[in-house]
Amino acid sequence: MNKGISVGLLGLGTVGTGVIQIIQAHQQELQHQVGCPVSIGKVLVKNLQKERDIDIDASLLTDQPDDVVLNPDIDVIIEVMGGVEEAKGHIVKALHNKKHVVTANKDLMALYGAELITVASKNECDLFYEASVAGGIPIIRSLVEGLSSDRITKMMGIVNGTTNYILTKMSKYGSSYADVLKEAQQLGYAESDPTADVEGLDAARKMAILATLGFSMSVALEDVSVRGISSVSDDDLKYASQMGYTMKLIGLAQRDEGRVEISVQPTLLPNEHPLSSVNDEYNAVYVYGEAVGETMFYGPGAGSLPTATAVVSDLVTVMKHMRLGVTGRSALPPLYDKQLKTDEEMESKYFLRLHVEDRAGSFSAITSLFADHLVSFEKLLQLPIKGENDMAEIVMITHKTNKKTYEEISQKLRDLDVVKEVKSSYRVEGGQSK
Ligand code: NAP
Ligand code: HSE
């Protein structure tokens, strides 16, 4: 190892460029920790002719994956190309060729994490993926090392930088959804297809990874109920604010007596909630452990250098393991069987916005429906709708109820004559609770 470590990169985009910058700029610190120089051996790109944001020797670039994954001089592969099947193929090949792997790819890890970790262990190789969740925040390391002695019962996170950037700009400056999404793309926060960001899938992948590690059970992507932010309107944000709440795309993983719920959805948080003040592309993960109590991890959730920091820190861990001769031994099988909560077991408060006929009896028809289901209100507003004299808007936040009851109420509301439209409905976290 004294000859130095050679790293093969798959991808030289936003994250790959940051990885090379950090390896170059922090060479002294890296050498101090691992005892040898760290160099870039080869870099896979799609388009060899593309202009790069980094000064790199053209002879290091290749468009042939095997020049990297089968290269006998390369010790560690860093996969930052994205996508699933192709990236998986390269990683499996690299592992079979006894190369350690670091990846930032949550799409891949959420789908094939368990399989890849098994291949890595069988080949006595390390496979690390810190950058796959919450960019520069070392949340995976915190769960599997820092909090390893505790039993984690709740994780709640803002784990997608793009949507947090969009919601922040819409709420604070009234910016348009489409304009801010474009900005997030230009800043390198969004995925190549931003649908995964705005429809919540990117956050769902991250929550599946966090729940698997935090609860020590095998949580799959299809166990996460997902809703994105594309239907959040300016009016929803305005009313949330009037009622003392902030809208965030929240990933929730909660365990009660061995049964879990995992979701990603736009959620109203009271303004004083610590996650409410996490703005722009920043991410934060709140973790509750039975022994430690409340902890919170905060930092940049996307972008070139923050994400690359997590990647290169994984590389340092791999290099330390190589030096100690303990590679491929970190992964543990899940301890618990997964049991998902039923809809009756999932409790929450809800925000609901309705357009109703403005006539005697409308209001009481609606409130009676809630009363019949033993659901009461934390806040309730009735307001005129501009330009529509015979219509009114009702905005409410309920006290806690279970998901099954809430869905029954929602259906019955739609069937009421006086209700013209259920404009929106969101989960509400925290605040006064009953
Ligand atoms: P990106 O900017 O789109 O870069 C992708 C790179 O991979 C490009 O250099 C591209 O080559 C290369 N590439 C893609 N497909 C290829 C193929 N089939 N063959 C050869 N090369 C290929 O992506 P990114 O934002 O850096 O993201 C990379 C990974 O990190 C993704 O898994 C992403 O989810 C994850 N991640 C990103 C962030 C972030 O803030 N951006 C944060 C955390 C995790 P060309 O340059 O020639 O096109
Ligand atoms: N597109 C992702 C985000 C990148 O916006 O959070 C970081 O995983």
Side-chain angles (χ1 to χ4, degrees):
M1 206 168 137
N2 283 339
K3 70 174 175 46
I5 292 287
S6 177
V7 176
L9 270 180
L10 303 177
L12 186 57
T14 305
V15 184
T17 302
V19 167
I20 295 189
Q21 283 173 338
I22 290 180
I23 289 177
Q24 287 170 349
H26 299 178
Q27 184 64 216
Q28 191 188 358
E29 291 80 358
L30 295 176
Q31 284 197 34
H32 175 67
Q33 293 178 78
V34 301
C36 66
V38 185
S39 61
I40 303 296
K42 211 77 189 164
V43 182
L44 176 72
V45 293
K46 198 189 268 183
N47 177 1
L48 285 170
Q49 312 312 322
K50 198 181 203 174
E51 272 201 30
R52 302 286 157 188
D53 294 338
I54 190 164
D55 192 13
I56 184 164
D57 182 349
S59 70
L60 289 179
L61 302 184
T62 178
D63 56 4
Q64 299 301 309
D66 286 354
D67 289 350
V68 187
V69 290
L70 298 183
N71 190 322
D73 297 327
I74 286 176
D75 308 286
V76 184
I77 299 290
I78 291 182
E79 185 276 303
V80 281
M81 60 184 270
V84 176
E85 297 303 332
E86 200 180 336
K88 182 189 177 209
H90 298 334
I91 288 178
V92 168
K93 211 173 196 180
L95 291 169
H96 282 307
N97 279 278
K98 309 288 179 203
K99 297 186 194 310
H100 310 286
V101 174
V102 173
T103 177
N105 194 330
K106 55 262 164 167
D107 311 26
L108 178 68
M109 291 310 292
L111 278 177
Y112 295 118
E115 181 186 333
L116 291 173
I117 287 165
T118 305
V119 177
S121 300
K122 282 191 178 148
N123 285 283
E124 293 180 9
C125 284
D126 274 345
L127 169 63
F128 291 126
Y129 48 100
E130 179 64 70
S132 66
V133 182
I137 308 175
I139 184 64
I140 291 184
R141 202 164 274 121
S142 302
L143 290 178
V144 300
E145 291 178 15
L147 295 171
S148 58
S149 62
D150 207 351
R151 188 177 299 135
I152 289 162
T153 54
K154 185 171 182 180
M155 289 174 278
M156 208 165 76
I158 295 173
V159 290
N160 182 271
T162 304
T163 46
N164 203 38
Y165 189 81
I166 295 172
L167 289 176
T168 303
K169 299 288 182 213
M170 284 175 72
S171 307
K172 284 192 183 288
Y173 310 111
S175 314
S176 92
Y177 173 89
D179 288 351
V180 199
L181 172 58
K182 218 176 276 166
E183 259 179 59
Q185 286 178 287
Q186 283 158 359
L187 289 164
Y189 305 149
E191 298 301 303
S192 45
D193 176 0
T195 317
D197 293 295
V198 296
E199 296 305 343
L201 190 57
D202 177 81
R205 289 166 176 149
K206 292 165 177 169
M207 291 312 295
I209 295 171
L210 288 185
T212 296
L213 295 171
F215 298 158
S216 194
M217 56 180 71
S218 184
V219 175
L221 189 54
E222 53 273 21
D223 299 326
V224 187
S225 92
V226 190
R227 179 180 164 198
I229 64 159
S230 58
S231 59
V232 173
S233 71
D234 293 339
D235 282 342
D236 295 331
L237 297 174
K238 183 184 78 185
Y239 286 121
S241 167
Q242 270 181 27
M243 293 170 123
Y245 285 83
T246 305
M247 176 88 76
K248 295 287 180 190
L249 184 70
I250 294 292
L252 172 75
Q254 187 153 348
R255 167 162 66 169
D256 295 295
E257 289 161 22
R259 297 170 77 80
V260 295
E261 66 175 292
I262 306 120
S263 66
V264 168
Q265 54 190 309
T267 301
L268 268 65
L269 303 170
N271 288 339
E272 58 277 12
H273 193 287
L275 289 174
S276 290
S277 48
V278 175
N279 288 322
D280 300 321
E281 79 280 17
Y282 276 78
N283 281 193
V285 185
Y286 162 98
V287 180
Y288 186 88
E290 277 182 5
V292 73
E294 294 182 300
T295 58
M296 191 148 130
F297 302 84
Y298 171 80
S304 181
L305 288 175
T307 309
T309 306
V311 172
V312 181
S313 296
D314 274 350
L315 174 65
V316 169
T317 306
V318 172
M319 292 190 291
K320 287 179 177 168
H321 286 182
M322 286 167 74
R323 199 162 64 174
L324 295 169
V326 295
T327 55
R329 302 201 206 153
S330 317
L332 283 174
L335 175 60
Y336 301 108
D337 288 335
K338 173 186 62 196
Q339 287 186 309
L340 296 176
K341 285 188 193 177
T342 62
D343 283 359
E344 277 156 303
E345 291 170 321
M346 291 185 223
E347 289 218 317
S348 173
K349 302 193 301 180
Y350 290 93
F351 167 101
L352 196 59
R353 184 160 72 86
L354 310 171
H355 278 190
V356 302
E357 282 179 18
D358 192 5
R359 63 170 159 85
S362 283
F363 196 73
S364 78
I366 290 160
T367 53
S368 305
L369 182 55
F370 282 83
D372 291 347
H373 288 79
L374 306 178
V375 177
S376 57
F377 302 103
E378 177 187 296
K379 290 189 175 165
L380 194 53
L381 301 174
Q382 177 166 348
L383 305 133
I385 299 176
K386 256 194 203 153
E388 296 190 53
N389 287 341
D390 52 347
M391 296 285 286
E393 187 150 51
I394 292 184
V395 188
M396 58 180 80
I397 291 179
T398 69
H399 280 298
K400 266 191 183 168
T401 182
N402 68 56
K403 189 173 173 195
K404 183 166 182 274
T405 304
Y406 181 72
E407 281 176 359
E408 273 171 26
I409 295 174
S410 299
Q411 189 47 55
K412 287 182 184 163
L413 274 173
R414 286 182 172 86
D415 296 341
L416 281 181
D417 283 349
V418 293
V419 174
K420 288 299 152 216
E421 196 179 347
V422 176
K423 296 296 283 184
S424 55
S425 165
Y426 301 104
R427 188 175 185 281
V428 177
E429 176 73 29
Q432 303 158 22
S433 230
K434 237 188 188 181

